[in-house]
Coordinates of all heavy atoms in Angstrom, one line a residue:
M1 N 120.2 110.0 -8.5 CA 118.8 109.7 -8.7 C 118.6 108.8 -9.7 O 119.3 108.9 -10.8 CB 118.1 111.1 -9.0 CG 116.7 111.0 -9.1 SD 116.0 112.6 -8.9 CE 115.1 112.7 -10.4
K2 N 117.8 107.8 -9.6 CA 117.5 106.7 -10.5 C 116.5 107.2 -11.5 O 115.4 107.6 -11.2 CB 117.1 105.5 -9.8 CG 116.9 104.3 -10.6 CD 116.6 103.1 -9.7 CE 116.3 101.9 -10.6 NZ 116.0 100.7 -9.9
R3 N 116.8 107.0 -12.8 CA 115.8 107.2 -13.8 C 114.7 106.2 -13.9 O 115.0 105.0 -13.6 CB 116.5 107.3 -15.2 CG 117.4 108.6 -15.3 CD 117.9 108.7 -16.7 NE 116.8 108.9 -17.7 CZ 116.9 109.2 -19.0 NH1 118.2 109.3 -19.5 NH2 115.9 109.3 -19.7
L4 N 113.6 106.6 -14.4 CA 112.5 105.6 -14.6 C 112.8 104.7 -15.8 O 113.4 105.1 -16.7 CB 111.2 106.3 -14.8 CG 110.6 107.1 -13.7 CD1 109.4 107.9 -14.1 CD2 110.3 106.2 -12.5
S5 N 112.3 103.5 -15.7 CA 112.5 102.6 -16.8 C 111.7 103.0 -18.0 O 110.8 103.8 -17.9 CB 112.2 101.2 -16.4 OG 110.8 101.1 -16.2
L6 N 112.1 102.5 -19.1 CA 111.3 102.8 -20.4 C 109.9 102.4 -20.3 O 108.9 103.2 -20.6 CB 112.0 102.1 -21.6 CG 111.3 102.3 -22.9 CD1 111.3 103.7 -23.3 CD2 112.0 101.5 -24.0
R7 N 109.6 101.3 -19.7 CA 108.2 100.8 -19.4 C 107.5 101.8 -18.5 O 106.3 102.2 -18.9 CB 108.2 99.5 -18.8 CG 106.8 99.0 -18.5 CD 106.8 97.6 -17.8 NE 107.5 96.7 -18.7 CZ 107.9 95.4 -18.2 NH1 107.7 95.1 -17.0 NH2 108.4 94.6 -19.0
A8 N 108.0 102.3 -17.5 CA 107.3 103.3 -16.6 C 107.1 104.6 -17.4 O 106.0 105.2 -17.2 CB 108.1 103.5 -15.4
R9 N 108.1 105.1 -18.1 CA 108.0 106.3 -18.8 C 106.9 106.2 -19.9 O 106.0 107.1 -20.1 CB 109.2 106.7 -19.5 CG 110.3 107.3 -18.5 CD 111.5 107.8 -19.1 NE 112.3 106.6 -19.5 CZ 113.4 106.7 -20.3 NH1 113.8 107.8 -20.9 NH2 114.1 105.5 -20.5
L10 N 106.8 105.1 -20.6 CA 105.8 104.9 -21.7 C 104.4 104.8 -21.0 O 103.4 105.3 -21.5 CB 106.1 103.7 -22.5 CG 107.2 103.8 -23.5 CD1 107.4 102.4 -24.1 CD2 106.8 104.8 -24.5
L11 N 104.3 104.2 -19.8 CA 103.0 104.0 -19.1 C 102.6 105.4 -18.7 O 101.4 105.7 -18.8 CB 103.2 103.1 -17.9 CG 101.9 102.9 -17.1 CD1 100.9 102.3 -17.8 CD2 102.3 102.1 -15.8
L12 N 103.4 106.3 -18.1 CA 103.1 107.5 -17.7 C 102.7 108.4 -18.8 O 101.7 109.2 -18.8 CB 104.3 108.2 -16.9 CG 104.4 107.7 -15.5 CD1 105.7 108.3 -14.9 CD2 103.3 107.9 -14.6
L13 N 103.4 108.4 -20.0 CA 103.0 109.1 -21.1 C 101.7 108.8 -21.7 O 100.9 109.6 -22.0 CB 104.1 109.0 -22.2 CG 103.9 109.7 -23.5 CD1 104.0 111.2 -23.3 CD2 104.9 109.3 -24.6
T14 N 101.5 107.5 -21.8 CA 100.2 107.0 -22.3 C 99.1 107.3 -21.4 O 98.0 107.8 -21.9 CB 100.3 105.4 -22.4 OG1 101.3 105.1 -23.2 CG2 99.0 104.9 -23.1
A15 N 99.2 107.2 -20.1 CA 98.2 107.6 -19.2 C 97.9 109.1 -19.2 O 96.8 109.6 -19.2 CB 98.6 107.2 -17.8
G16 N 99.0 109.9 -19.3 CA 98.8 111.3 -19.5 C 98.1 111.8 -20.8 O 97.2 112.6 -20.7
L17 N 98.4 111.2 -21.9 CA 97.7 111.5 -23.1 C 96.3 111.0 -23.1 O 95.4 111.7 -23.6 CB 98.5 110.8 -24.3 CG 99.8 111.5 -24.6 CD1 100.5 110.6 -25.8 CD2 99.6 112.9 -25.1
L18 N 96.0 109.8 -22.5 CA 94.7 109.3 -22.3 C 93.8 110.3 -21.5 O 92.7 110.6 -21.8 CB 94.7 107.9 -21.8 CG 93.3 107.2 -21.6 CD1 92.7 107.1 -23.0 CD2 93.5 105.9 -21.0
L19 N 94.4 110.7 -20.4 CA 93.7 111.6 -19.5 C 93.5 113.0 -20.2 O 92.3 113.5 -20.1 CB 94.5 111.9 -18.2 CG 93.9 112.8 -17.1 CD1 92.6 112.2 -16.6 CD2 94.9 113.0 -16.1
A20 N 94.3 113.5 -20.9 CA 94.1 114.7 -21.6 C 93.1 114.6 -22.7 O 92.2 115.4 -22.8 CB 95.5 115.2 -22.3
G21 N 93.1 113.5 -23.4 CA 92.1 113.2 -24.5 C 90.7 113.1 -23.9 O 89.8 113.6 -24.4
L22 N 90.6 112.3 -22.8 CA 89.2 112.1 -22.2 C 88.7 113.4 -21.6 O 87.5 113.7 -21.7 CB 89.3 111.0 -21.1 CG 89.5 109.6 -21.7 CD1 89.7 108.6 -20.5 CD2 88.3 109.2 -22.6
T23 N 89.7 114.3 -21.1 CA 89.2 115.5 -20.5 C 88.7 116.4 -21.6 O 87.7 117.0 -21.4 CB 90.4 116.2 -19.7 OG1 90.8 115.3 -18.7 CG2 89.9 117.5 -19.1
L24 N 89.4 116.5 -22.7 CA 89.0 117.4 -23.9 C 87.7 116.8 -24.4 O 86.8 117.6 -24.7 CB 90.1 117.3 -24.9 CG 89.8 118.2 -26.2 CD1 89.7 119.6 -25.8 CD2 90.9 117.9 -27.2
T25 N 87.6 115.6 -24.6 CA 86.3 115.0 -25.2 C 85.2 115.2 -24.2 O 84.1 115.6 -24.7 CB 86.5 113.4 -25.4 OG1 87.6 113.3 -26.2 CG2 85.3 112.9 -26.0
G26 N 85.4 115.1 -22.9 CA 84.3 115.3 -22.0 C 83.8 116.7 -22.0 O 82.7 117.0 -21.9
T27 N 84.8 117.7 -22.1 CA 84.5 119.1 -22.1 C 83.7 119.4 -23.3 O 82.6 120.1 -23.3 CB 85.8 119.9 -22.0 OG1 86.5 119.5 -20.9 CG2 85.5 121.4 -22.0
L28 N 84.1 119.0 -24.5 CA 83.4 119.2 -25.8 C 82.0 118.6 -25.7 O 81.0 119.3 -26.1 CB 84.2 118.7 -26.9 CG 85.5 119.4 -27.2 CD1 86.3 118.8 -28.4 CD2 85.2 120.9 -27.6
V29 N 81.8 117.4 -25.3 CA 80.5 116.7 -25.3 C 79.6 117.4 -24.3 O 78.4 117.6 -24.6 CB 80.7 115.2 -24.9 CG1 79.4 114.6 -24.6 CG2 81.3 114.5 -26.2
S30 N 80.1 117.8 -23.2 CA 79.3 118.5 -22.2 C 78.8 119.8 -22.8 O 77.6 120.2 -22.5 CB 80.2 118.7 -20.9 OG 79.4 119.5 -20.0
G31 N 79.7 120.6 -23.4 CA 79.2 121.9 -24.0 C 78.2 121.6 -25.0 O 77.1 122.4 -25.1
Q32 N 78.4 120.7 -25.9 CA 77.4 120.3 -27.0 C 76.1 119.9 -26.4 O 74.9 120.3 -26.9 CB 77.9 119.3 -28.0 CG 79.1 119.8 -28.8 CD 78.6 120.9 -29.7 OE1 77.5 120.9 -30.3 NE2 79.5 121.9 -29.9
L33 N 76.1 119.1 -25.4 CA 74.9 118.6 -24.7 C 74.1 119.7 -24.1 O 72.9 119.8 -24.2 CB 75.1 117.5 -23.7 CG 74.0 116.9 -23.0 CD1 73.0 116.2 -24.0 CD2 74.5 115.9 -22.0
E34 N 74.8 120.6 -23.5 CA 74.2 121.8 -22.7 C 73.5 122.6 -23.8 O 72.4 123.1 -23.6 CB 75.2 122.6 -22.0 CG 74.6 123.7 -21.3 CD 75.6 124.6 -20.6 OE1 76.8 124.3 -20.7 OE2 75.2 125.6 -19.9
R35 N 74.2 122.9 -24.9 CA 73.6 123.7 -26.0 C 72.4 123.1 -26.6 O 71.3 123.7 -26.9 CB 74.6 124.0 -27.1 CG 74.1 125.0 -28.1 CD 75.3 125.3 -29.1 NE 76.4 125.9 -28.4 CZ 77.7 125.5 -28.7 NH1 77.9 124.6 -29.7 NH2 78.7 126.0 -28.0
F36 N 72.4 121.7 -26.8 CA 71.3 121.0 -27.4 C 70.1 121.1 -26.4 O 69.0 121.3 -26.8 CB 71.7 119.5 -27.7 CG 70.5 118.7 -27.9 CD1 69.9 118.6 -29.2 CD2 70.0 117.8 -27.0 CE1 68.8 117.9 -29.5 CE2 68.9 116.9 -27.2 CZ 68.4 117.0 -28.5
Q37 N 70.3 120.8 -25.2 CA 69.2 120.8 -24.1 C 68.6 122.3 -24.0 O 67.4 122.4 -24.0 CB 69.7 120.4 -22.8 CG 70.1 119.0 -22.7 CD 68.9 118.0 -22.7 OE1 67.8 118.4 -22.7 NE2 69.2 116.7 -22.9
L38 N 69.5 123.3 -24.0 CA 68.9 124.7 -24.0 C 68.1 125.0 -25.2 O 67.0 125.7 -25.1 CB 70.0 125.7 -23.8 CG 70.7 125.7 -22.4 CD1 71.8 126.7 -22.4 CD2 69.7 126.2 -21.4
D39 N 68.5 124.6 -26.4 CA 67.8 124.9 -27.6 C 66.4 124.0 -27.6 O 65.4 124.6 -28.0 CB 68.5 124.4 -28.9 CG 69.7 125.4 -29.2 OD1 69.7 126.5 -28.6 OD2 70.5 125.0 -29.9
R40 N 66.5 122.8 -27.1 CA 65.3 122.1 -27.0 C 64.3 122.7 -26.0 O 63.1 122.8 -26.3 CB 65.6 120.7 -26.5 CG 64.5 119.7 -26.5 CD 64.9 118.3 -26.3 NE 63.9 117.6 -25.6 CZ 64.1 116.9 -24.5 NH1 65.2 116.8 -23.9 NH2 63.1 116.3 -24.0
L41 N 64.8 123.1 -24.9 CA 64.0 123.8 -23.9 C 63.4 125.1 -24.4 O 62.2 125.4 -24.2 CB 64.7 124.0 -22.6 CG 63.9 124.7 -21.4 CD1 62.8 123.8 -20.9 CD2 64.9 124.9 -20.3
D42 N 64.1 125.9 -25.1 CA 63.7 127.1 -25.7 C 62.5 126.8 -26.7 O 61.5 127.5 -26.8 CB 64.8 127.9 -26.5 CG 65.7 128.5 -25.5 OD1 65.4 128.7 -24.3 OD2 66.8 128.9 -26.0
G43 N 62.7 125.8 -27.5 CA 61.6 125.4 -28.4 C 60.3 125.0 -27.8 O 59.2 125.3 -28.1
Q44 N 60.5 124.2 -26.7 CA 59.3 123.8 -25.9 C 58.6 125.0 -25.2 O 57.4 125.1 -25.2 CB 59.7 122.8 -24.8 CG 60.1 121.4 -25.4 CD 60.6 120.5 -24.4 OE1 61.1 120.9 -23.4 NE2 60.6 119.2 -24.7
L45 N 59.4 125.9 -24.7 CA 58.9 127.1 -24.1 C 58.1 128.0 -25.1 O 57.1 128.6 -24.9 CB 59.9 127.9 -23.4 CG 60.4 127.3 -22.1 CD1 61.5 128.0 -21.4 CD2 59.3 127.1 -21.0
R46 N 58.7 128.1 -26.3 CA 58.0 128.9 -27.4 C 56.7 128.2 -27.8 O 55.7 128.9 -27.9 CB 58.9 128.9 -28.7 CG 59.9 130.1 -28.6 CD 60.6 130.2 -30.0 NE 62.0 130.6 -29.7 CZ 63.0 129.7 -29.8 NH1 62.8 128.4 -30.2 NH2 64.2 130.0 -29.5
S47 N 56.6 126.9 -27.8 CA 55.4 126.2 -28.1 C 54.3 126.4 -27.0 O 53.2 126.6 -27.2 CB 55.6 124.7 -28.2 OG 56.4 124.4 -29.4
M48 N 54.8 126.4 -25.8 CA 53.9 126.6 -24.7 C 53.4 128.0 -24.6 O 52.2 128.2 -24.3 CB 54.7 126.3 -23.3 CG 53.7 126.1 -22.2 SD 52.5 124.8 -22.4 CE 51.6 125.0 -20.9
T49 N 54.3 129.0 -24.9 CA 53.9 130.4 -25.0 C 52.8 130.6 -26.1 O 51.9 131.3 -25.9 CB 55.0 131.3 -25.3 OG1 56.0 131.1 -24.3 CG2 54.8 132.7 -25.3
E50 N 53.0 129.9 -27.3 CA 52.0 130.0 -28.3 C 50.7 129.4 -27.9 O 49.6 130.0 -28.1 CB 52.5 129.3 -29.5 CG 51.6 129.4 -30.7 CD 52.1 128.7 -31.9 OE1 53.4 128.5 -32.1 OE2 51.3 128.2 -32.7
L51 N 50.7 128.3 -27.2 CA 49.6 127.6 -26.7 C 48.8 128.5 -25.7 O 47.6 128.7 -25.8 CB 49.9 126.3 -26.0 CG 48.8 125.7 -25.2 CD1 47.9 125.0 -26.1 CD2 49.4 124.6 -24.3
I52 N 49.6 129.1 -24.8 CA 48.9 130.0 -23.7 C 48.4 131.2 -24.4 O 47.3 131.6 -24.1 CB 49.9 130.3 -22.6 CG1 50.2 129.0 -21.8 CG2 49.4 131.4 -21.7 CD1 51.2 129.1 -20.9
S53 N 49.1 131.8 -25.4 CA 48.6 133.0 -26.0 C 47.3 132.8 -26.8 O 46.5 133.6 -26.9 CB 49.7 133.7 -26.9 OG 49.9 132.9 -28.0
R54 N 47.2 131.6 -27.4 CA 46.0 131.3 -28.2 C 44.8 130.9 -27.2 O 43.7 131.2 -27.6 CB 46.2 130.1 -29.1 CG 47.0 130.5 -30.3 CD 46.9 129.4 -31.3 NE 48.0 128.4 -31.1 CZ 48.1 127.2 -31.6 NH1 47.1 126.8 -32.4 NH2 49.1 126.5 -31.3
A55 N 45.1 130.5 -26.0 CA 44.1 130.1 -25.1 C 43.8 131.1 -24.1 O 43.1 130.8 -23.1 CB 44.4 128.7 -24.4
A56 N 44.4 132.3 -24.2 CA 44.4 133.3 -23.1 C 43.0 134.0 -23.0 O 42.6 134.4 -21.9 CB 45.4 134.4 -23.3
G57 N 42.2 134.0 -24.0 CA 40.9 134.6 -24.0 C 39.9 133.7 -23.3 O 40.1 132.6 -22.9
P58 N 38.7 134.3 -23.1 CA 37.6 133.5 -22.4 C 37.2 132.3 -23.3 O 37.4 132.4 -24.6 CB 36.5 134.5 -22.3 CG 36.8 135.6 -23.2 CD 38.2 135.6 -23.4
P59 N 36.7 131.3 -22.8 CA 36.2 130.1 -23.6 C 35.1 130.5 -24.5 O 34.3 131.4 -24.2 CB 35.8 129.2 -22.5 CG 35.6 129.9 -21.3 CD 36.4 131.1 -21.3
P60 N 35.1 130.0 -25.7 CA 34.0 130.3 -26.7 C 32.6 130.0 -26.3 O 31.7 130.6 -26.7 CB 34.5 129.6 -28.0 CG 35.3 128.5 -27.5 CD 35.9 128.9 -26.2
S61 N 32.4 129.0 -25.4 CA 31.0 128.7 -25.0 C 31.1 128.2 -23.5 O 32.1 128.1 -22.9 CB 30.6 127.5 -25.8 OG 31.3 126.4 -25.6
A62 N 29.9 127.9 -23.0 CA 29.9 127.6 -21.6 C 30.5 126.2 -21.3 O 31.1 126.0 -20.3 CB 28.4 127.5 -21.1
S63 N 30.4 125.3 -22.3 CA 31.1 124.0 -22.2 C 32.2 124.0 -23.2 O 31.9 123.8 -24.3 CB 30.1 122.8 -22.4 OG 29.6 122.9 -23.6
P64 N 33.4 124.2 -22.8 CA 34.5 124.3 -23.8 C 34.7 122.9 -24.4 O 34.7 121.9 -23.7 CB 35.7 124.7 -22.9 CG 35.4 124.3 -21.5 CD 33.8 124.4 -21.4
A65 N 34.9 123.0 -25.7 CA 35.1 121.7 -26.5 C 36.7 121.4 -26.3 O 37.5 122.2 -26.0 CB 34.8 121.9 -28.0
V66 N 36.9 120.1 -26.5 CA 38.3 119.6 -26.5 C 39.1 120.2 -27.8 O 38.5 120.0 -28.8 CB 38.4 118.1 -26.4 CG1 39.9 117.6 -26.5 CG2 37.8 117.6 -25.2
R67 N 40.2 120.8 -27.5 CA 41.0 121.4 -28.7 C 42.3 120.7 -28.7 O 43.3 121.3 -28.2 CB 41.1 122.9 -28.5 CG 39.8 123.7 -28.4 CD 39.3 124.1 -29.8 NE 40.2 124.6 -30.7 CZ 40.5 125.9 -30.9 NH1 39.9 126.8 -30.2 NH2 41.4 126.2 -31.8
P68 N 42.5 119.6 -29.4 CA 43.8 118.9 -29.3 C 44.9 119.7 -30.1 O 46.0 119.6 -29.9 CB 43.5 117.6 -30.1 CG 42.2 117.7 -30.7 CD 41.5 118.8 -30.0
D69 N 44.4 120.6 -31.1 CA 45.4 121.4 -31.8 C 46.1 122.4 -30.9 O 47.2 122.8 -31.2 CB 44.7 122.1 -33.0 CG 43.6 123.0 -32.5 OD1 42.7 122.6 -31.7 OD2 43.5 124.1 -33.0
L70 N 45.4 122.8 -29.8 CA 46.1 123.7 -28.8 C 47.0 122.9 -27.8 O 47.9 123.5 -27.4 CB 45.0 124.4 -28.0 CG 44.2 125.4 -28.8 CD1 43.2 126.1 -27.9 CD2 45.0 126.5 -29.4
V71 N 46.7 121.7 -27.6 CA 47.5 121.0 -26.6 C 48.7 120.3 -27.2 O 49.7 120.2 -26.5 CB 46.6 119.9 -25.9 CG1 47.4 119.1 -24.9 CG2 45.4 120.5 -25.3
D72 N 48.7 120.0 -28.4 CA 49.8 119.1 -29.0 C 51.2 119.9 -28.9 O 52.1 119.2 -28.5 CB 49.6 118.9 -30.5 CG 48.5 117.8 -30.7 OD1 48.4 117.0 -29.7 OD2 48.0 117.8 -31.8
P73 N 51.3 121.1 -29.1 CA 52.8 121.7 -28.9 C 53.3 121.6 -27.5 O 54.5 121.6 -27.4 CB 52.6 123.2 -29.4 CG 51.3 123.3 -30.1 CD 50.4 122.2 -29.5
A74 N 52.5 121.5 -26.6 CA 53.0 121.5 -25.2 C 53.2 120.1 -24.6 O 53.6 119.9 -23.5 CB 52.0 122.3 -24.3
L75 N 52.8 119.0 -25.3 CA 52.9 117.7 -24.8 C 54.3 117.3 -24.4 O 54.5 116.6 -23.4 CB 52.3 116.7 -25.8 CG 50.8 116.6 -25.9 CD1 50.3 115.6 -26.9 CD2 50.2 116.3 -24.5
E76 N 55.3 117.7 -25.1 CA 56.6 117.3 -24.8 C 57.1 118.1 -23.5 O 58.0 117.6 -22.8 CB 57.6 117.7 -25.9 CG 57.4 116.8 -27.1 CD 58.5 117.2 -28.2 OE1 59.6 117.5 -27.8 OE2 58.1 117.2 -29.3
L77 N 56.5 119.2 -23.2 CA 57.0 120.0 -22.1 C 56.4 119.4 -20.7 O 57.1 119.3 -19.8 CB 56.7 121.4 -22.2 CG 57.2 122.4 -21.2 CD1 58.7 122.4 -21.2 CD2 56.7 123.8 -21.6
F78 N 55.2 119.1 -20.7 CA 54.5 118.8 -19.5 C 53.9 117.3 -19.4 O 53.6 116.9 -18.4 CB 53.3 119.7 -19.2 CG 53.8 121.0 -18.8 CD1 53.5 122.1 -19.7 CD2 54.6 121.3 -17.7 CE1 54.0 123.4 -19.4 CE2 55.0 122.7 -17.4 CZ 54.7 123.6 -18.3
G79 N 53.7 116.7 -20.5 CA 53.2 115.3 -20.5 C 51.7 115.4 -20.8 O 51.3 114.9 -21.9
S80 N 50.9 116.0 -19.9 CA 49.4 116.1 -20.3 C 49.0 117.5 -19.7 O 48.4 117.5 -18.7 CB 48.6 115.0 -19.8 OG 49.1 114.4 -18.7
P81 N 49.3 118.5 -20.5 CA 48.9 119.9 -19.9 C 47.4 120.2 -20.2 O 46.8 119.6 -21.0 CB 49.8 120.8 -20.8 CG 49.9 120.1 -22.0 CD 50.0 118.6 -21.7
Y82 N 46.9 121.1 -19.4 CA 45.6 121.7 -19.6 C 45.6 123.1 -19.2 O 46.4 123.6 -18.5 CB 44.5 120.8 -18.9 CG 44.8 120.9 -17.4 CD1 44.1 121.8 -16.6 CD2 45.6 120.0 -16.7 CE1 44.3 121.9 -15.2 CE2 45.8 120.0 -15.3 CZ 45.1 120.9 -14.6 OH 45.4 121.0 -13.3
V83 N 44.6 123.8 -19.9 CA 44.5 125.2 -19.6 C 43.1 125.5 -19.0 O 42.1 124.9 -19.5 CB 44.6 126.1 -20.9 CG1 44.4 127.5 -20.7 CG2 46.0 125.8 -21.5
V84 N 43.1 126.2 -17.9 CA 41.8 126.5 -17.2 C 41.6 128.0 -17.2 O 42.4 128.8 -17.0 CB 41.9 126.0 -15.7 CG1 40.6 126.4 -15.0 CG2 42.1 124.6 -15.7
Y85 N 40.4 128.3 -17.6 CA 40.0 129.8 -17.6 C 39.3 130.1 -16.3 O 38.4 129.5 -16.0 CB 39.1 130.1 -18.9 CG 38.6 131.5 -18.8 CD1 39.4 132.6 -19.2 CD2 37.3 131.8 -18.4 CE1 39.0 133.8 -19.1 CE2 36.9 133.1 -18.4 CZ 37.7 134.1 -18.7 OH 37.3 135.5 -18.7
L86 N 39.9 131.1 -15.7 CA 39.3 131.6 -14.4 C 38.8 133.0 -14.6 O 39.5 133.9 -15.0 CB 40.3 131.6 -13.3 CG 40.8 130.2 -12.9 CD1 42.0 130.4 -11.9 CD2 39.8 129.3 -12.4
D87 N 37.5 133.2 -14.4 CA 37.0 134.6 -14.6 C 37.4 135.5 -13.3 O 38.1 135.0 -12.5 CB 35.5 134.6 -14.7 CG 34.7 134.0 -13.5 OD1 35.4 133.6 -12.6 OD2 33.5 133.8 -13.6
A88 N 36.8 136.7 -13.2 CA 37.2 137.6 -12.1 C 36.9 137.0 -10.7 O 37.6 137.4 -9.8 CB 36.6 138.9 -12.4
R89 N 35.9 136.2 -10.7 CA 35.5 135.6 -9.3 C 36.3 134.4 -9.0 O 36.2 133.8 -8.0 CB 34.1 135.3 -9.3 CG 33.2 136.6 -9.4 CD 31.7 136.2 -9.6 NE 31.6 135.6 -10.9 CZ 30.5 135.1 -11.4 NH1 29.4 134.9 -10.6 NH2 30.4 134.6 -12.6
G90 N 37.2 134.0 -9.9 CA 38.1 132.9 -9.6 C 37.5 131.5 -10.0 O 37.9 130.5 -9.8

């Protein structure tokens, strides 16, 4: 059986180490990105929950005023959200 040349062995070793390093790096980056995205989504959902809980009651008057302080926390989640109050008759 013929042994591989030094050049071929070094090429295989380098390629193997590169593949292992890239696989490890990809796994770590993927895990960190997933954790970052989940934390970001949790924060946005908390903001939206706060927005909805503050706006859950009936409107204060017949013509509701624009309340930008209620909309700001949810802008990152939906783009331009709005809350509509529906009474018992829909």
Side-chain angles (χ1 to χ4, degrees):
M1 185 159 123
K2 186 176 174 182
R3 287 188 63 173
L4 293 174
S5 68
L6 179 60
R7 180 182 296 166
R9 285 185 283 169
L10 286 175
L11 180 64
L12 287 174
L13 178 66
T14 304
L17 289 174
L18 183 63
L19 180 64
L22 288 175
T23 301
L24 179 65
T25 302
T27 302
L28 292 175
V29 167
S30 175
Q32 291 294 325
L33 182 61
E34 180 183 5
R35 187 173 305 135
F36 170 76
Q37 292 289 351
L38 286 174
D39 289 344
R40 186 170 150 234
L41 183 62
D42 286 344
Q44 290 173 339
L45 289 174
R46 276 189 219 100
S47 295
M48 192 63 182
T49 302
E50 182 180 334
L51 169 72
I52 291 172
S53 68
R54 281 193 272 166
S61 64
S63 62
V66 175
R67 300 275 314 267
D69 59 317
L70 292 179
V71 176
D72 285 341
L75 283 178
E76 288 184 36
L77 187 60
F78 291 113
S80 27
Y82 60 93
V83 177
V84 176
Y85 174 76
L86 299 175
D87 61 2
R89 293 173 290 176

